[in-house]
Coordinates of all heavy atoms in Angstrom, one line a residue:
M646 N 10.6 -7.6 -12.8 CA 11.9 -7.8 -12.3 C 11.9 -8.9 -11.2 O 11.0 -8.8 -10.3 CB 12.5 -6.5 -11.7 CG 13.9 -6.6 -11.2 SD 14.5 -5.0 -11.1 CE 16.2 -5.4 -10.7
R647 N 12.8 -9.9 -11.3 CA 12.8 -11.0 -10.4 C 13.7 -10.7 -9.2 O 14.8 -10.1 -9.4 CB 13.1 -12.3 -11.1 CG 12.1 -12.6 -12.1 CD 12.5 -13.9 -12.9 NE 12.1 -15.1 -12.3 CZ 10.9 -15.6 -12.2 NH1 9.9 -14.9 -12.7 NH2 10.7 -16.8 -11.7
A648 N 13.3 -11.1 -8.0 CA 14.2 -11.1 -6.8 C 14.0 -12.3 -6.0 O 12.9 -12.9 -6.0 CB 13.9 -9.8 -6.0
R649 N 15.0 -12.8 -5.3 CA 14.9 -13.9 -4.4 C 14.9 -13.5 -3.0 O 15.8 -12.7 -2.6 CB 16.0 -14.9 -4.7 CG 15.9 -15.6 -6.1 CD 17.1 -16.4 -6.4 NE 17.2 -17.6 -5.6 CZ 16.7 -18.8 -5.9 NH1 16.0 -18.9 -7.0 NH2 16.9 -19.8 -5.1
H650 N 14.0 -14.0 -2.2 CA 13.9 -13.8 -0.8 C 13.9 -15.1 0.0 O 13.2 -16.0 -0.4 CB 12.6 -13.0 -0.5 CG 12.4 -11.7 -1.2 ND1 12.9 -10.5 -0.7 CD2 11.9 -11.5 -2.5 CE1 12.6 -9.6 -1.6 NE2 12.1 -10.1 -2.7
H651 N 14.7 -15.1 1.0 CA 14.9 -16.4 1.8 C 14.3 -16.2 3.2 O 14.5 -15.2 3.8 CB 16.4 -16.7 1.9 CG 17.0 -16.8 0.5 ND1 16.9 -17.9 -0.3 CD2 17.8 -15.9 -0.2 CE1 17.6 -17.7 -1.4 NE2 18.1 -16.5 -1.4
F652 N 13.7 -17.3 3.7 CA 13.1 -17.3 5.0 C 13.5 -18.6 5.7 O 13.8 -19.6 5.1 CB 11.6 -17.2 4.9 CG 11.1 -16.0 4.2 CD1 11.0 -16.0 2.9 CD2 10.9 -14.8 4.9 CE1 10.6 -14.9 2.2 CE2 10.5 -13.7 4.3 CZ 10.3 -13.7 2.9
H653 N 13.6 -18.6 7.1 CA 14.0 -19.8 7.8 C 13.4 -19.8 9.2 O 13.1 -18.8 9.8 CB 15.5 -19.7 8.0 CG 16.1 -20.9 8.7 ND1 16.2 -22.1 8.1 CD2 16.4 -21.1 10.0 CE1 16.7 -23.0 9.0 NE2 16.8 -22.4 10.2
I654 N 13.2 -21.1 9.7 CA 12.7 -21.3 11.1 C 13.2 -22.7 11.5 O 13.3 -23.6 10.6 CB 11.2 -21.2 11.2 CG1 10.8 -21.1 12.7 CG2 10.5 -22.3 10.5 CD1 9.3 -20.7 12.9
D655 N 13.5 -22.8 12.7 CA 13.8 -24.1 13.3 C 12.6 -24.5 14.1 O 12.1 -23.8 14.9 CB 15.0 -24.1 14.2 CG 16.3 -24.0 13.5 OD1 16.5 -24.6 12.4 OD2 17.2 -23.2 13.9
Y656 N 12.0 -25.7 13.8 CA 10.8 -26.2 14.4 C 10.9 -27.7 14.7 O 11.2 -28.5 13.8 CB 9.6 -25.9 13.6 CG 8.3 -26.2 14.2 CD1 7.8 -25.4 15.2 CD2 7.6 -27.3 13.9 CE1 6.6 -25.7 15.8 CE2 6.4 -27.6 14.5 CZ 5.9 -26.8 15.4 OH 4.7 -27.1 16.0
L657 N 10.7 -28.1 16.0 CA 10.8 -29.5 16.4 C 12.1 -30.1 16.0 O 12.2 -31.3 15.7 CB 9.6 -30.3 15.8 CG 8.2 -29.9 16.2 CD1 7.2 -30.8 15.5 CD2 8.1 -30.0 17.8
G658 N 13.2 -29.3 16.1 CA 14.5 -29.8 15.8 C 14.9 -29.9 14.4 O 15.9 -30.6 14.0
H659 N 14.0 -29.4 13.5 CA 14.3 -29.5 12.0 C 14.3 -28.1 11.5 O 13.7 -27.1 11.9 CB 13.1 -30.3 11.4 CG 13.1 -31.7 11.8 ND1 14.0 -32.6 11.3 CD2 12.4 -32.3 12.7 CE1 13.8 -33.8 11.9 NE2 12.8 -33.6 12.8
S660 N 15.2 -27.9 10.4 CA 15.4 -26.7 9.7 C 14.4 -26.6 8.6 O 14.3 -27.5 7.7 CB 16.8 -26.7 9.2 OG 17.0 -25.6 8.3
V661 N 13.6 -25.5 8.6 CA 12.6 -25.3 7.5 C 13.0 -24.0 6.8 O 13.0 -22.9 7.5 CB 11.2 -25.3 8.0 CG1 10.2 -25.0 6.8 CG2 10.8 -26.5 8.8
S662 N 13.3 -24.1 5.5 CA 13.7 -22.9 4.8 C 12.8 -22.7 3.6 O 12.3 -23.7 3.0 CB 15.1 -23.0 4.3 OG 16.0 -23.1 5.3
A663 N 12.5 -21.5 3.2 CA 11.7 -21.2 2.0 C 12.4 -20.1 1.2 O 13.0 -19.2 1.8 CB 10.3 -20.7 2.5
T664 N 12.3 -20.2 -0.1 CA 12.8 -19.2 -1.0 C 11.6 -18.8 -1.9 O 10.9 -19.6 -2.4 CB 13.9 -19.8 -1.9 OG1 15.0 -20.2 -1.1 CG2 14.4 -18.7 -2.9
V665 N 11.4 -17.5 -1.9 CA 10.3 -16.9 -2.7 C 11.0 -16.1 -3.8 O 11.7 -15.1 -3.5 CB 9.4 -16.0 -1.9 CG1 8.3 -15.4 -2.7 CG2 8.8 -16.8 -0.7
Q666 N 10.8 -16.5 -5.0 CA 11.3 -15.7 -6.2 C 10.1 -14.9 -6.8 O 9.2 -15.5 -7.3 CB 11.9 -16.7 -7.2 CG 12.5 -15.9 -8.4 CD 13.3 -16.9 -9.3 OE1 14.1 -17.7 -8.8 NE2 13.0 -16.8 -10.6
T667 N 10.2 -13.6 -6.7 CA 9.1 -12.8 -7.1 C 9.3 -12.5 -8.6 O 10.3 -12.8 -9.3 CB 9.1 -11.4 -6.4 OG1 10.4 -10.8 -6.6 CG2 8.9 -11.6 -4.9
G668 N 8.2 -11.9 -9.2 CA 8.2 -11.6 -10.6 C 6.8 -11.9 -11.2 O 5.9 -12.0 -10.4
H669 N 6.7 -12.0 -12.5 CA 5.4 -12.2 -13.1 C 4.8 -13.5 -12.6 O 3.6 -13.6 -12.4 CB 5.6 -12.2 -14.6 CG 4.3 -12.4 -15.4 ND1 3.2 -11.5 -15.3 CD2 3.8 -13.5 -16.1 CE1 2.2 -12.0 -16.0 NE2 2.5 -13.2 -16.5
T670 N 5.6 -14.6 -12.5 CA 5.1 -15.9 -12.0 C 6.0 -16.2 -10.8 O 7.0 -16.8 -10.9 CB 5.2 -17.0 -13.0 OG1 4.5 -16.6 -14.2 CG2 4.6 -18.3 -12.5
P671 N 5.5 -15.8 -9.6 CA 6.3 -16.1 -8.4 C 6.5 -17.6 -8.2 O 5.6 -18.4 -8.4 CB 5.5 -15.5 -7.2 CG 4.7 -14.4 -7.9 CD 4.4 -15.0 -9.2
V672 N 7.7 -18.0 -7.7 CA 8.0 -19.4 -7.4 C 8.4 -19.6 -6.0 O 9.1 -18.7 -5.4 CB 9.2 -19.9 -8.3 CG1 9.6 -21.3 -8.0 CG2 8.9 -19.8 -9.8
V673 N 7.9 -20.6 -5.3 CA 8.2 -20.8 -3.9 C 8.8 -22.2 -3.8 O 8.2 -23.2 -4.3 CB 6.9 -20.7 -3.0 CG1 7.2 -21.0 -1.6 CG2 6.2 -19.4 -3.2
E674 N 9.9 -22.3 -3.1 CA 10.5 -23.6 -2.8 C 10.7 -23.8 -1.3 O 11.1 -22.8 -0.6 CB 11.9 -23.7 -3.5 CG 11.9 -23.6 -5.0 CD 13.3 -23.5 -5.5 OE1 14.3 -23.1 -4.8 OE2 13.5 -23.8 -6.7
V675 N 10.4 -25.0 -0.8 CA 10.6 -25.2 0.6 C 11.5 -26.4 0.8 O 11.4 -27.4 0.1 CB 9.2 -25.6 1.3 CG1 9.4 -25.9 2.7 CG2 8.2 -24.4 1.1
L676 N 12.5 -26.2 1.7 CA 13.5 -27.2 2.1 C 13.3 -27.6 3.6 O 13.1 -26.7 4.4 CB 14.9 -26.8 1.8 CG 15.3 -26.7 0.4 CD1 14.9 -25.4 -0.2 CD2 16.8 -26.8 0.3
V677 N 13.4 -28.9 3.9 CA 13.4 -29.3 5.3 C 14.7 -30.1 5.4 O 15.0 -31.0 4.7 CB 12.2 -30.3 5.6 CG1 12.3 -30.9 7.0 CG2 10.9 -29.5 5.4
D678 N 15.5 -29.6 6.4 CA 16.8 -30.2 6.6 C 17.7 -30.2 5.4 O 18.4 -31.2 5.1 CB 16.7 -31.6 7.3 CG 16.0 -31.5 8.6 OD1 16.1 -30.4 9.3 OD2 15.4 -32.5 9.1
G679 N 17.5 -29.2 4.5 CA 18.3 -29.1 3.3 C 17.8 -29.9 2.1 O 18.4 -29.8 1.0
K680 N 16.7 -30.6 2.2 CA 16.1 -31.3 1.1 C 14.8 -30.7 0.6 O 14.0 -30.4 1.5 CB 15.9 -32.8 1.5 CG 17.1 -33.5 1.9 CD 16.8 -34.9 2.3 CE 18.1 -35.6 2.8 NZ 17.9 -36.9 3.3
E681 N 14.7 -30.5 -0.7 CA 13.5 -29.9 -1.2 C 12.3 -30.8 -1.0 O 12.3 -32.0 -1.3 CB 13.6 -29.6 -2.7 CG 12.4 -28.8 -3.2 CD 12.6 -28.4 -4.7 OE1 13.7 -28.2 -5.1 OE2 11.5 -28.2 -5.3
T682 N 11.3 -30.2 -0.3 CA 10.1 -31.0 0.0 C 8.8 -30.4 -0.6 O 7.7 -31.0 -0.5 CB 9.9 -31.2 1.5 OG1 9.8 -29.9 2.1 CG2 11.0 -31.9 2.1
G683 N 8.9 -29.2 -1.1 CA 7.8 -28.5 -1.7 C 8.2 -27.5 -2.7 O 9.2 -26.9 -2.6
H684 N 7.4 -27.3 -3.8 CA 7.6 -26.4 -4.8 C 6.3 -26.0 -5.4 O 5.4 -26.8 -5.7 CB 8.5 -27.1 -5.9 CG 8.9 -26.2 -7.0 ND1 8.1 -26.0 -8.1 CD2 10.0 -25.4 -7.2 CE1 8.8 -25.2 -8.9 NE2 9.9 -24.8 -8.4
A685 N 6.1 -24.7 -5.7 CA 4.8 -24.2 -6.2 C 5.1 -22.9 -7.0 O 6.0 -22.2 -6.6 CB 3.8 -24.1 -5.2
T686 N 4.2 -22.6 -7.9 CA 4.1 -21.3 -8.5 C 2.8 -20.7 -8.3 O 1.8 -21.4 -8.0 CB 4.4 -21.4 -10.1 OG1 3.3 -22.3 -10.6 CG2 5.7 -22.0 -10.4
T687 N 2.7 -19.4 -8.4 CA 1.5 -18.7 -8.2 C 1.4 -17.6 -9.2 O 2.4 -17.3 -10.0 CB 1.3 -18.2 -6.8 OG1 0.0 -17.6 -6.6 CG2 2.4 -17.2 -6.4
R688 N 0.3 -16.8 -9.3 CA 0.2 -15.7 -10.2 C 0.2 -14.4 -9.4 O -0.4 -14.4 -8.4 CB -1.0 -15.8 -11.1 CG -1.0 -17.0 -12.0 CD -2.2 -17.0 -12.9 NE -1.8 -17.5 -14.2 CZ -1.8 -16.8 -15.3 NH1 -2.2 -15.6 -15.3 NH2 -1.4 -17.3 -16.4
D689 N 0.8 -13.4 -10.0 CA 0.8 -12.1 -9.4 C 1.3 -12.2 -7.9 O 2.4 -12.7 -7.7 CB -0.5 -11.4 -9.5 CG -1.0 -11.3 -11.0 OD1 -0.1 -11.0 -11.8 OD2 -2.2 -11.6 -11.2
D690 N 0.5 -11.7 -7.0 CA 0.9 -11.6 -5.6 C 0.1 -12.6 -4.7 O 0.0 -12.4 -3.5 CB 0.9 -10.2 -5.0 CG 2.0 -9.3 -5.6 OD1 3.0 -9.9 -6.0 OD2 1.8 -8.1 -5.6
R691 N -0.6 -13.5 -5.4 CA -1.5 -14.4 -4.6 C -0.7 -15.3 -3.7 O 0.4 -15.9 -4.0 CB -2.2 -15.3 -5.6 CG -3.2 -14.5 -6.4 CD -4.0 -15.5 -7.3 NE -4.9 -14.7 -8.1 CZ -5.3 -15.1 -9.3 NH1 -4.9 -16.2 -9.8 NH2 -6.1 -14.3 -10.0
P692 N -1.2 -15.5 -2.4 CA -0.5 -16.4 -1.5 C -0.6 -17.8 -1.9 O -1.5 -18.2 -2.7 CB -1.3 -16.2 -0.2 CG -2.1 -14.9 -0.4 CD -2.3 -14.8 -1.8
V693 N 0.4 -18.6 -1.5 CA 0.4 -20.0 -1.8 C 0.7 -20.8 -0.6 O 1.5 -20.4 0.2 CB 1.4 -20.3 -3.0 CG1 2.8 -20.0 -2.6 CG2 1.4 -21.7 -3.4
A694 N 0.1 -21.9 -0.4 CA 0.3 -22.8 0.8 C 0.8 -24.1 0.3 O 0.3 -24.7 -0.6 CB -1.0 -23.0 1.6
L695 N 1.9 -24.5 0.9 CA 2.6 -25.8 0.6 C 2.5 -26.7 1.8 O 3.1 -26.4 2.9 CB 4.0 -25.6 0.2 CG 4.2 -24.9 -1.1 CD1 5.1 -23.7 -0.9 CD2 4.8 -25.8 -2.1
A696 N 1.8 -27.8 1.7 CA 1.7 -28.8 2.8 C 2.9 -29.7 2.7 O 3.2 -30.3 1.7 CB 0.4 -29.6 2.6
I697 N 3.6 -29.8 3.8 CA 4.8 -30.6 3.9 C 4.8 -31.5 5.2 O 3.9 -31.3 6.0 CB 6.1 -29.8 3.9 CG1 6.2 -28.8 5.0 CG2 6.2 -29.0 2.5 CD1 7.5 -28.1 5.2
E698 N 5.7 -32.4 5.3 CA 5.9 -33.2 6.5 C 7.3 -33.0 7.1 O 8.2 -33.0 6.3 CB 5.6 -34.6 6.3 CG 4.1 -35.0 6.0 CD 3.9 -36.4 5.9 OE1 4.8 -37.2 5.6 OE2 2.7 -36.9 6.1
L699 N 7.4 -32.9 8.4 CA 8.6 -32.9 9.1 C 9.0 -34.4 9.4 O 8.1 -35.2 9.8 CB 8.6 -32.1 10.4 CG 8.3 -30.6 10.2 CD1 8.3 -29.9 11.5 CD2 9.3 -30.0 9.3
P700 N 10.3 -34.8 9.2 CA 10.6 -36.2 9.4 C 10.8 -36.6 10.9 O 11.8 -36.9 11.4 CB 12.0 -36.3 8.7 CG 12.5 -34.9 8.8 CD 11.4 -34.0 8.7
T701 N 9.7 -36.5 11.6 CA 9.6 -36.9 13.0 C 9.0 -38.3 13.1 O 8.6 -38.8 12.0 CB 8.8 -35.9 13.9 OG1 7.5 -35.8 13.3 CG2 9.4 -34.6 13.9
D702 N 8.9 -38.9 14.2 CA 8.3 -40.2 14.3 C 7.1 -40.1 15.2 O 7.2 -40.0 16.4 CB 9.3 -41.2 14.9 CG 8.7 -42.7 14.8 OD1 7.9 -42.9 13.9 OD2 9.2 -43.5 15.6
P703 N 5.8 -40.1 14.7 CA 5.4 -40.2 13.3 C 5.6 -38.8 12.6 O 5.8 -37.8 13.3 CB 3.9 -40.5 13.4 CG 3.5 -39.9 14.7 CD 4.7 -40.0 15.6
P704 N 5.6 -38.7 11.3 CA 5.8 -37.5 10.6 C 4.8 -36.4 11.0 O 3.6 -36.7 11.3 CB 5.6 -37.9 9.1 CG 5.9 -39.3 9.1 CD 5.4 -39.9 10.4
T705 N 5.3 -35.2 11.1 CA 4.4 -34.1 11.6 C 4.0 -33.2 10.3 O 4.9 -32.6 9.7 CB 5.2 -33.2 12.5 OG1 5.7 -34.0 13.6 CG2 4.4 -32.0 13.0
P706 N 2.7 -33.1 10.0 CA 2.3 -32.3 8.9 C 2.3 -30.8 9.3 O 1.8 -30.5 10.4 CB 0.9 -32.8 8.6 CG 0.4 -33.4 9.9 CD 1.6 -33.9 10.7
V707 N 2.8 -30.0 8.5 CA 2.9 -28.6 8.6 C 2.6 -27.9 7.3 O 2.7 -28.6 6.2 CB 4.2 -28.0 9.2 CG1 4.4 -28.6 10.6 CG2 5.4 -28.3 8.3
T708 N 2.3 -26.6 7.3 CA 2.1 -25.9 6.0 C 2.9 -24.7 6.0 O 3.0 -23.9 7.0 CB 0.6 -25.5 5.9 OG1 -0.2 -26.7 5.9 CG2 0.3 -24.8 4.6
V709 N 3.6 -24.4 4.9 CA 4.3 -23.1 4.7 C 3.4 -22.3 3.9 O 3.1 -22.7 2.7 CB 5.7 -23.3 4.1 CG1 6.3 -22.0 3.8 CG2 6.6 -24.2 5.0
R710 N 3.1 -21.1 4.4 CA 2.2 -20.1 3.6 C 3.1 -19.0 3.2 O 3.6 -18.2 4.0 CB 1.1 -19.7 4.4 CG 0.1 -18.8 3.6 CD -1.2 -18.6 4.3 NE -2.2 -18.0 3.4 CZ -2.6 -16.8 3.4 NH1 -2.1 -15.9 4.3 NH2 -3.5 -16.4 2.6
A711 N 3.3 -18.8 1.9 CA 4.1 -17.7 1.4 C 3.3 -16.7 0.7 O 2.4 -17.1 -0.1 CB 5.2 -18.3 0.4
T712 N 3.5 -15.4 1.0 CA 2.8 -14.3 0.3 C 3.9 -13.5 -0.4 O 4.7 -12.8 0.2 CB 2.1 -13.5 1.4 OG1 1.3 -14.3 2.1 CG2 1.3 -12.4 0.7
P713 N 3.9 -13.6 -1.8 CA 5.0 -12.9 -2.5 C 4.9 -11.4 -2.5 O 5.8 -10.7 -2.7 CB 4.8 -13.4 -4.0 CG 4.0 -14.7 -3.8 CD 3.2 -14.5 -2.6
G714 N 3.7 -10.9 -2.3 CA 3.5 -9.4 -2.2 C 2.1 -9.1 -1.9 O 1.4 -10.0 -1.5
P715 N 1.7 -7.9 -2.0 CA 2.4 -6.7 -2.4 C 3.5 -6.3 -1.4 O 3.4 -6.6 -0.2 CB 1.4 -5.6 -2.6 CG 0.3 -6.0 -1.7 CD 0.3 -7.5 -1.6
G716 N 4.5 -5.6 -1.8 CA 5.6 -5.2 -1.0 C 6.5 -6.4 -0.7 O 6.8 -7.2 -1.6
V717 N 7.1 -6.4 0.5 CA 8.1 -7.4 0.8 C 7.4 -8.8 1.0 O 6.4 -8.9 1.8 CB 8.9 -7.0 2.1 CG1 9.9 -8.1 2.5 CG2 9.5 -5.7 1.8
P718 N 7.9 -9.9 0.4 CA 7.4 -11.2 0.6 C 7.5 -11.6 2.1 O 8.3 -11.1 2.9 CB 8.2 -12.1 -0.2 CG 8.8 -11.2 -1.3 CD 9.0 -9.9 -0.6
R719 N 6.6 -12.5 2.5 CA 6.6 -13.1 3.9 C 6.2 -14.5 3.9 O 5.5 -15.0 3.0 CB 5.8 -12.2 4.8 CG 4.4 -11.9 4.4 CD 3.9 -10.6 4.9 NE 2.7 -10.2 4.2 CZ 2.6 -9.6 3.1 NH1 3.6 -9.2 2.4 NH2 1.4 -9.4 2.5
C720 N 6.7 -15.2 4.9 CA 6.3 -16.7 5.0 C 5.9 -17.0 6.5 O 6.5 -16.4 7.4 CB 7.5 -17.5 4.7 SG 7.9 -17.6 2.9
L721 N 5.0 -17.9 6.6 CA 4.5 -18.4 7.9 C 4.6 -19.9 7.9 O 4.3 -20.5 6.9 CB 3.1 -17.9 8.2 CG 2.8 -16.4 8.2 CD1 1.3 -16.2 8.3 CD2 3.5 -15.8 9.4
L722 N 4.8 -20.5 9.1 CA 4.7 -21.9 9.3 C 3.5 -22.1 10.1 O 3.3 -21.6 11.2 CB 6.0 -22.4 10.0 CG 6.0 -23.9 10.3 CD1 6.3 -24.7 9.0 CD2 7.0 -24.3 11.3
L723 N 2.5 -22.9 9.5 CA 1.3 -23.2 10.2 C 1.3 -24.6 10.6 O 1.6 -25.5 9.9 CB 0.1 -23.0 9.2 CG 0.1 -21.6 8.5 CD1 -0.9 -21.7 7.3 CD2 -0.2 -20.5 9.4
T724 N 0.9 -24.8 11.9 CA 1.0 -26.2 12.5 C -0.4 -26.5 13.1 O -1.1 -25.6 13.6 CB 2.1 -26.3 13.6 OG1 1.8 -25.3 14.6 CG2 3.4 -26.0 13.0
E725 N -0.7 -27.8 13.2 CA -1.9 -28.2 13.8 C -1.8 -28.0 15.3 O -0.7 -28.3 15.9 CB -2.2 -29.6 13.5 CG -2.6 -29.9 12.1 CD -2.9 -31.3 11.8 OE1 -3.2 -32.1 12.8 OE2 -2.9 -31.7 10.6
G726 N -2.8 -27.5 16.0 CA -2.7 -27.4 17.4 C -2.2 -26.1 18.0 O -2.5 -25.7 19.1
D727 N -1.5 -25.3 17.1 CA -1.0 -24.0 17.6 C -2.0 -23.0 17.1 O -2.4 -23.0 15.9 CB 0.4 -23.7 17.0 CG 1.5 -24.6 17.6 OD1 1.3 -25.1 18.7 OD2 2.6 -24.7 17.0
E728 N -2.4 -22.1 18.0 CA -3.3 -21.1 17.6 C -2.7 -20.0 16.7 O -3.4 -19.5 15.8 CB -3.9 -20.4 18.9 CG -4.7 -21.3 19.7 CD -5.2 -20.7 21.0 OE1 -5.3 -19.4 21.0 OE2 -5.6 -21.4 21.9
E729 N -1.5 -19.7 17.0 CA -0.8 -18.6 16.2 C 0.2 -19.2 15.2 O 0.9 -20.2 15.5 CB 0.0 -17.7 17.1 CG -0.9 -16.9 18.1 CD -1.7 -15.9 17.4 OE1 -1.2 -15.2 16.4 OE2 -2.9 -15.7 17.7
P730 N 0.3 -18.7 14.0 CA 1.3 -19.2 13.1 C 2.7 -18.7 13.5 O 2.9 -17.8 14.3 CB 0.9 -18.5 11.8 CG 0.2 -17.3 12.2 CD -0.5 -17.6 13.4
H731 N 3.7 -19.4 13.1 CA 5.1 -19.1 13.4 C 5.7 -18.3 12.2 O 5.6 -18.8 11.1 CB 5.9 -20.4 13.6 CG 5.4 -21.3 14.6 ND1 5.7 -21.2 15.9 CD2 4.5 -22.3 14.6 CE1 5.1 -22.1 16.6 NE2 4.3 -22.8 15.8
V732 N 6.2 -17.1 12.5 CA 6.7 -16.3 11.5 C 8.1 -16.8 11.1 O 9.0 -17.0 12.0 CB 6.9 -14.8 12.0 CG1 7.5 -13.9 10.9 CG2 5.5 -14.3 12.3
M733 N 8.4 -17.0 9.8 CA 9.6 -17.4 9.3 C 10.5 -16.2 9.1 O 10.1 -15.3 8.4 CB 9.5 -18.2 8.1 CG 8.8 -19.5 8.3 SD 8.5 -20.5 6.8 CE 10.2 -21.0 6.5
A734 N 11.6 -16.1 9.8 CA 12.5 -14.9 9.7 C 13.2 -14.8 8.4 O 13.6 -15.8 7.8 CB 13.6 -15.0 10.8
P735 N 13.2 -13.6 7.8 CA 14.0 -13.3 6.6 C 15.4 -13.7 6.8 O 16.0 -13.5 7.9 CB 13.8 -11.8 6.4 CG 12.7 -11.4 7.2 CD 12.6 -12.3 8.3
R736 N 16.1 -14.2 5.8 CA 17.5 -14.6 5.9 C 18.3 -14.1 4.7 O 17.8 -14.2 3.6 CB 17.5 -16.1 5.9 CG 18.9 -16.7 6.2 CD 18.8 -18.2 6.2 NE 19.4 -18.7 7.4 CZ 19.7 -19.9 7.6 NH1 19.2 -20.8 6.8 NH2 20.3 -20.3 8.7
L737 N 19.4 -13.4 5.0 CA 20.2 -12.9 3.9 C 21.1 -14.0 3.4 O 21.7 -14.7 4.2 CB 21.0 -11.7 4.3 CG 20.2 -10.5 4.8 CD1 21.1 -9.4 5.4 CD2 19.3 -9.9 3.7
Y738 N 21.4 -14.0 2.1 CA 22.3 -15.0 1.5 C 23.4 -14.2 0.8 O 23.2 -13.2 0.3 CB 21.6 -16.0 0.6 CG 21.0 -17.1 1.3 CD1 19.9 -17.0 2.1 CD2 21.6 -18.4 1.2 CE1 19.4 -18.1 2.8 CE2 21.0 -19.5 1.8 CZ 19.9 -19.3 2.6 OH 19.4 -20.4 3.3

């Protein structure tokens, strides 16, 4: 059974959103400021990491790490120089 889960964080003045669609082949989509910047599929509940760039000057590389399961999906924003990852908050649509 497929379900869609949405996550969001504001970082460096930019909106980063992720959608995790669970099921046999989970799909992860990442949007920065409303534009799709990353897309990946995975198998079962394996985590997937999507390297993206924030449109700063110069561009800032970050990674969105999505874990489709087991249980409730979760997403983290990983940045260079920060010791702790940033938890992307679940968002209802």
Side-chain angles (χ1 to χ4, degrees):
M646 181 163 189
R647 296 178 86 74
R649 292 174 67 92
H650 302 269
H651 305 280
F652 301 89
H653 180 80
I654 191 168
D655 287 319
Y656 185 75
L657 297 178
H659 295 280
S660 171
V661 180
S662 299
T664 300
V665 178
Q666 183 171 311
T667 60
H669 181 66
T670 304
V672 177
V673 179
E674 298 173 339
V675 177
L676 286 83
V677 175
D678 297 335
K680 296 179 183 175
E681 186 173 334
T682 58
H684 183 272
T686 59
T687 185
R688 295 183 144 247
D689 303 319
D690 289 333
R691 292 184 185 149
V693 63
L695 291 125
I697 60 171
E698 288 185 339
L699 299 180
T701 56
D702 189 25
T705 303
V707 297
T708 301
V709 173
R710 184 166 194 255
T712 306
V717 177
R719 50 211 170 273
C720 286
L721 299 172
L722 181 74
L723 309 170
T724 58
E725 292 181 19
D727 290 342
E728 293 179 21
E729 295 292 321
H731 303 272
V732 176
M733 296 179 70
R736 185 178 229 189
L737 299 175
Y738 275 71

